[in-house]
Amino acid sequence: ATFCDIITIMSNISLPNPWGRPLVLPTERPAVTMQQLTIYDAPDYYDSWSRSAADIARFDPETVGMFDSVENVEDSIYQLGSLVMATRDRDKFVASGSLRPNKKTGMWLLGIWTDSRETSKGYGTLTAQTLVNYAVGRFPLQAKVHNENTHCIHILEKTELERTGRNVGVFSIFEQ
């Protein structure tokens, strides 16, 4: 089986071929686009993540050290069944979003983060909304957010995801 066949079998949906043309999603702002991450994006992703890792780790400590080199970013880009996107304002990397299968629930997990130098400019909301719009009708979507991460909770409340009222430890669950 090819890589794409395996993705389709494991995820029950067909994600874009990582070795073909990357998926590009338009956003509500003409100058801002989301493109499926490729190895050519790895240096920008790494730079942005490095500058933002402390902020991200406050609410998601499991991510500490996740992308401690450009090589680790490159290795993570083609994780089986995942879709990782770069949000760019013109050519500048400003945020990232991902959709990853959760084998336990059968749902897809939405993940977003914004470069700490680019916060409060709407990029997190734009990234989340664009990925939610892409997912609607394709597969069930879920997000979990730390209860103290009020900024991210506010972002998710602007999308079609709804807070379920369920918590997993210190995380609130949002679902489509």
Side-chain angles (χ1 to χ4, degrees):
T2 68
F3 184 77
C4 287
D5 292 335
I6 293 169
I7 288 175
T8 303
I9 292 166
M10 288 191 67
S11 65
N12 205 22
I13 66 162
S14 181
L15 289 175
N17 178 355
W19 290 286
R21 287 184 63 165
L23 174 67
V24 177
L25 300 175
T27 70
E28 294 174 3
R29 293 189 209 167
V32 180
T33 58
M34 291 184 68
Q35 179 175 310
Q36 187 176 5
L37 217 58
T38 69
I39 59 169
Y40 303 108
D41 297 303
D44 289 342
Y45 189 100
Y46 171 72
D47 177 61
S48 184
W49 178 269
S50 297
R51 295 173 187 273
S52 308
D55 292 331
I56 296 167
R58 271 189 13 220
F59 300 114
D60 192 0
E62 294 175 11
T63 62
V64 175
M66 183 180 264
F67 302 117
D68 58 359
S69 69
V70 173
E71 291 76 21
N72 282 354
V73 173
E74 290 173 351
D75 290 345
S76 74
I77 288 173
Y78 299 125
Q79 287 181 356
L80 192 60
S82 295
L83 178 63
V84 183
M85 304 290 285
T87 304
R88 291 185 179 273
D89 189 340
R90 293 169 183 81
D91 289 330
K92 185 178 185 181
F93 187 100
V94 295
S96 180
S98 63
L99 298 171
R100 300 178 190 277
N102 182 333
K103 294 176 186 174
K104 292 179 185 176
T105 66
M107 299 187 85
W108 285 73
L109 295 174
L110 169 69
I112 61 166
W113 61 273
T114 304
D115 184 311
S116 60
R117 300 166 291 187
E118 303 295 335
T119 59
S120 300
K121 298 178 184 176
Y123 296 125
T125 301
L126 204 57
T127 298
Q129 188 62 59
T130 302
L131 283 174
V132 169
N133 290 346
Y134 176 75
V136 168
R138 287 185 170 85
F139 42 87
L141 192 58
Q142 183 180 71
K144 69 177 189 176
V145 61
H146 195 287
N147 292 324
E148 294 178 10
N149 191 347
T150 56
H151 184 72
C152 193
I153 288 171
H154 181 67
I155 286 172
L156 292 174
E157 288 173 341
K158 293 179 186 179
T159 70
E160 286 79 26
L161 297 180
E162 294 184 21
R163 200 171 192 170
T164 64
R166 295 190 327 266
N167 288 330
V168 176
V170 296
F171 295 94
S172 291
I173 305 298
F174 287 75
E175 291 181 353
Q176 171 187 335

